[in-house]
Each structure stands twice: as structure tokens, then as C-alpha cells.
Amino acid sequence: MRARATAAELLRPGVTVDDLLLLLVSLGHAVQITDDCRPQLWRRLLRISLDGLRADQREPLPADAAPDSGSRSLHN
């Protein structure tokens, strides 16, 4: 899916699979922690997150430290 969005120039340059996995985890956590008090608040976070993934966002993303030999990918 990321490859198709990138190829269609819909995804912000530099977004990786690990970025998307972390985003999904954080959104899932937001749903869990707001479920009792503000059950629709996650929709606001989702909108903010999706807007940040849009291709028209051209500001460079912060650099990530290169993984060392002891680290593992988030999707393993």
C-alpha cells in the first residue's frame, strides 16, 4: 500500500513502512486510552496524522538514527 501511494505521489516523501506501523500503534493506543472519557477523540488524531502523510507536506522529516547491528526493524 505504501508503494502504491508513493508511486501515485500521494504519500509524503520519506515515509517508511516503520513510520506507518508506529502510526497505527499510536492510533490504536489513543483509541484505548480515550475510549471511556472521550470515545471520538481518536478521530481528531487520525485526521491530524493523515494530513501529515499527504504528499503536499514537503518539509523534510526529522532524521532517524541508522539502525545498528543489534537493532531490529519494527515489522519483524
Side-chain angles (χ1 to χ4, degrees):
M1 189 181 303
R2 186 197 64 82
R4 286 188 296 179
T6 300
E9 298 182 359
L10 297 172
L11 185 63
R12 180 183 190 150
V15 173
T16 67
V17 171
D18 283 349
D19 294 328
L20 297 174
L21 288 171
L22 277 174
L23 183 59
L24 288 173
V25 169
S26 66
L27 289 168
H29 187 67
V31 169
Q32 290 176 342
I33 64 172
T34 62
D35 191 39
D36 291 334
C37 60
R38 295 179 68 188
Q40 298 301 315
L41 186 59
W42 67 269
R43 292 179 190 274
R44 178 179 170 84
L45 182 59
L46 176 62
R47 172 58 56 201
I48 292 167
S49 300
L50 291 176
D51 286 349
L53 292 172
R54 291 174 40 153
D56 61 351
Q57 300 297 320
R58 294 290 181 181
E59 184 175 324
L61 294 168
D64 185 13
D68 60 32
S69 60
S71 68
R72 60 187 172 96
S73 175
L74 295 170
H75 49 89
N76 283 342

